[in-house]
Structure formats: structure tokens, C-alpha cells
Amino acid sequence: MSKLLVSFLIFCNIALSNSIWNGQTTFNVLQFDAVGDGQTDDSEAFLKAWEALCGATEANDTGTPTLVVPAEKTFLLQAIKFSGPCKSNSVHVQILGKIVAPNTLHAWKECKEFWISFSEVTNLTINGTGEIEGHGKPWWSKARQLHHVAIHFYKCDYLQLSGLKHLDSPKAHITINNCNNVSVSNLHIIAPEDSPNTDGIDISMSTFVNIHNSTIGTGDDCIALNNGSSHINITSIVCGPGHGISVGSLGEDGAYETVEEVHVRNCTFNGTKNGARIKTWQGGSGYVKGISFENITLIEAKNPIIIDQYYCDKNGHNCKPSASAVNVSNVIYRGFQGTHANEEEAIIFDCSNTPGCQNVTMNQINITSTVDPGKNISAACKNVNGTFDPAVPCSLWAYLHP
């Protein structure tokens, strides 16, 4: 009898819980007992709000189910995962307040690869005027410890991100993996120039991704296109400080990796360590092809154009020249103008012996040095062929790699 009573009470509790949100499509995290004082762990409240959101259905009169993170509140979250699929065809997360990570290493309850992750949620829109603060500084000096990527998206097709400010991630700010048809716009991603591995946006195994009208300044790549990235359009990005917009790195530890159809247009590199960069490891295989960088503005960028097929981060790697390398071909650099901050060559094509870099086109290049404004620029070249701007002669850089 007692077992039956307990079962009945559990059933009633679940039914009551479901009925509370029946027909509702707007879910404010405060309704689920989030505190928002920046000190209390609100992770459980956010998960309850997500459960209600993901279980809601889209109604004609009430619109897309929406989870609201209200303004003028600060919500502390531990490592948290929001999983789909959801019942509605689309879901909306509106962030108006501030979301913060624990601010010391010891305050983390568990160490995971991702701080906030979304998995298998189709037609997810995340936007608003709020902030996501990663409190990464305590992690930046801990090179051998697992760092948290701030926000990770996995298998989230038709994803839309816009409007938010992302600050000081322990590692990369946003990673997009196995997602198709993605739009990213009007983001502000900020971390100090000396913060290690704090990429702005990392993309892998994803297709048809559009990133535009955003400002990214971090301690690493503003945007990195990793293995499996294809049909990526990047426009109107202000990048700096940071390491530029990079294809790669690819081919580490002999891996077969590919990137194709990446088009970068109307972007600015301001005080970056690199500008338009392709980087591959020796010993890898695969290909990089169909890449273009066009209408690029440079403001004291140190390496405005660089292909580095001898990339090595030197963290315990024995980076020796190899007979194999990722194949780089069909790359266009057009309409570069502005200044670079080096006395040395503004353009470096350091391509592998086999197969080298094929069909590289470079024209309308107008770059001057801030160190020596009267000096004509040149391109330092090794194992590259294609069509080059007459104003930028491609000279053999013999002292590179034998």
C-alpha cells in the first residue's frame, strides 16, 4: 500500500510540474529559482528552465519558445550542458543580463572541456544585449591543466548567434563543431593580447557558416577554420589584437585534414600578429583549397599574408621536415591595403618541398611599412607558384627550410 502511495505521489508531482508550464512559451530563469546575485550557483535553475523550454511546443499565437536571462542580474554557472532535441521546431535563448563563470580555480566543482555547451539543438537562436564572462585569467598561467572552452555548439544545425559580448574565456570563446547553416553576427569578443589560446571563434566539421559584422580581439586567432570546415563566409570583421584569421592548423601528428571554400572579405586586421594566415604541420596530409582573402585593411599588422607549412607550436613536438604535407592550392589574395609593423617581408609563403603551394594568386596589394615607410615590400617565397602582383616581387627565401 505504501509503495502504491509513493508511486501515486511521484506521478502527481510530475503531472503537476508539467501542467504548470503547459501552453507557456516564455521561460524566465527567475521563475525556476535562479537568484542572479553573481554568487549563488544558478546552474540547476538554468537546467530546469531549459527542460521546460525544450519540452514546450511552438504555438501559432505565442511564437517560438524562449528562455529569458533577464537584465540587471548576474548569474553564476558551473559547467553546464543544454541538450536536445527539443519538441519545438525552433528555440530561442535571449540573454539580457550577465552570465559568469567561477572566478577562481578552486570554485569550479568539476573540470570539463566546455563551460557552457549546447548539443543537438536544431534552429537554436541565442541573442540579446547581455554578457558572458569567462573569468579566464586564473587559467591562463596553467598551461598543463584542462582549460574550459566558454561556449561549445555540437550538431546544432541552423544556429544563429548575435548581439552578445563575450569576455575573457579560459580558452576559446566559441567553438562550433558538426554544425551546418550557421549565422554569427554583431558579436564583441574580448580578451587581453597576452591571454594564451583564447581564440574568438573556432570552426570544425561544419559547413555553410556565415560570420559577419563582429569585433574580435583576443590572445590567439580571431577566427580559426579547422578540419572539416567548408563553405565559410567571413565578412566585415574587425580583428585585433590577436593572431589574425587562420586556416588551420592542419595535419598535426600526421593527420589527414581538409578545409575548402573559405572566403574572407572586407575585414580589418588592427595590430595583429598575423593577418590572413594558412598554417599546416609537416607530416600531415589532406588539402586546403578554394580560399580567398579580399578587400582587407591592415593597421600595423605584423605578418599581413602568410602561408606557413612548417607550423609548430613547440609544446613537446619534434617538428622535423617531412616528405608529406597538406596540399595548399587555389588561394587568392586581392585588394590588401594598409600598413605592416615589420621591417622584414610583409608577405611570407613558406611552403613545403612536396607538393608546395599551387595556384596562388596575389594582386592589388598596397602595403607599406610603419617602420620604414619608404621601403618597397616584397614577398619571401619558397616552393610556391601562381600569379603575383608586379608591385610585390616574389623572391626566394633561401634560408628557410632545406
Side-chain angles (χ1 to χ4, degrees), residues 114-341:
F114 310 117
W115 170 32
I116 300 171
S117 65
F118 293 85
S119 177
E120 300 184 84
V121 185
T122 302
N123 282 310
L124 169 65
T125 297
I126 300 178
N127 61 15
T129 56
E131 295 184 5
I132 298 177
E133 164 64 74
H135 286 308
K137 187 175 181 179
W139 293 96
W140 296 336
S141 62
K142 308 295 181 182
R144 296 189 178 183
Q145 293 191 24
L146 177 65
H147 292 196
H148 300 268
V149 168
I151 303 181
H152 176 67
F153 297 94
Y154 175 71
K155 289 189 175 180
C156 293
D157 292 345
Y158 300 96
L159 170 68
Q160 296 186 59
L161 308 175
S162 66
L164 297 175
K165 180 180 286 188
H166 299 257
L167 303 170
D168 294 345
S169 174
K171 200 176 180 182
H173 287 76
I174 299 171
T175 57
I176 297 170
N177 177 259
N178 273 277
C179 300
N180 304 302
N181 298 290
V182 176
S183 175
V184 179
S185 64
N186 298 297
L187 298 186
H188 293 266
I189 303 176
I190 302 168
E193 185 174 6
D194 61 353
S195 58
N197 301 313
T198 53
D199 293 16
I201 302 171
D202 283 359
I203 301 171
S204 61
M205 303 304 296
S206 298
T207 63
F208 298 101
V209 179
N210 294 312
I211 305 173
H212 57 96
N213 297 99
S214 295
T215 300
I216 305 173
T218 69
D220 211 304
D221 296 326
C222 291
I223 301 172
L225 294 314
N226 297 307
N227 180 40
S229 299
S230 67
H231 298 90
I232 313 295
N233 286 293
I234 299 170
T235 58
S236 301
I237 301 298
V238 177
C239 170
H243 293 185
I245 295 176
S246 297
V247 175
S249 65
L250 302 173
E252 183 178 0
D253 295 328
Y256 177 91
E257 296 184 316
T258 67
V259 171
E260 61 184 316
E261 297 301 331
V262 174
H263 303 290
V264 180
R265 298 182 178 91
N266 303 320
C267 293
T268 297
F269 297 112
N270 186 353
T272 52
K273 184 176 180 180
N274 304 288
R277 178 164 67 155
I278 297 173
K279 49 180 177 173
T280 71
W281 293 74
Q282 285 287 288
S285 61
Y287 57 81
V288 173
K289 64 182 181 180
I291 311 298
S292 66
F293 294 89
E294 299 182 90
N295 301 325
I296 303 298
T297 299
L298 306 166
I299 304 171
E300 297 190 31
K302 290 184 178 179
N303 295 297
I305 297 173
I306 180 170
I307 298 178
D308 180 7
Q309 290 212 275
Y310 293 84
Y311 178 76
C312 178
D313 66 8
K314 298 181 181 178
N315 290 332
H317 291 88
N318 185 14
C319 301
K320 294 181 178 180
S322 172
S324 65
V326 175
N327 192 342
V328 177
S329 65
N330 300 323
V331 182
I332 297 172
Y333 303 94
R334 180 183 292 120
F336 279 63
Q337 62 178 347
T339 58
H340 74 103

Side-chain angles (χ1 to χ4, degrees), residues 29-30 34-42 46 69-77 96-101 131 133 135:
V29 294
L30 296 178
V35 177
D37 62 0
Q39 304 296 321
T40 304
D41 180 7
D42 286 319
F46 270 62
V69 179
E72 300 181 2
K73 293 280 187 178
T74 299
F75 300 91
L76 171 65
L77 296 183
L96 305 175
K98 189 172 183 178
I99 295 173
V100 299
E131 295 184 5
E133 164 64 74
H135 286 308

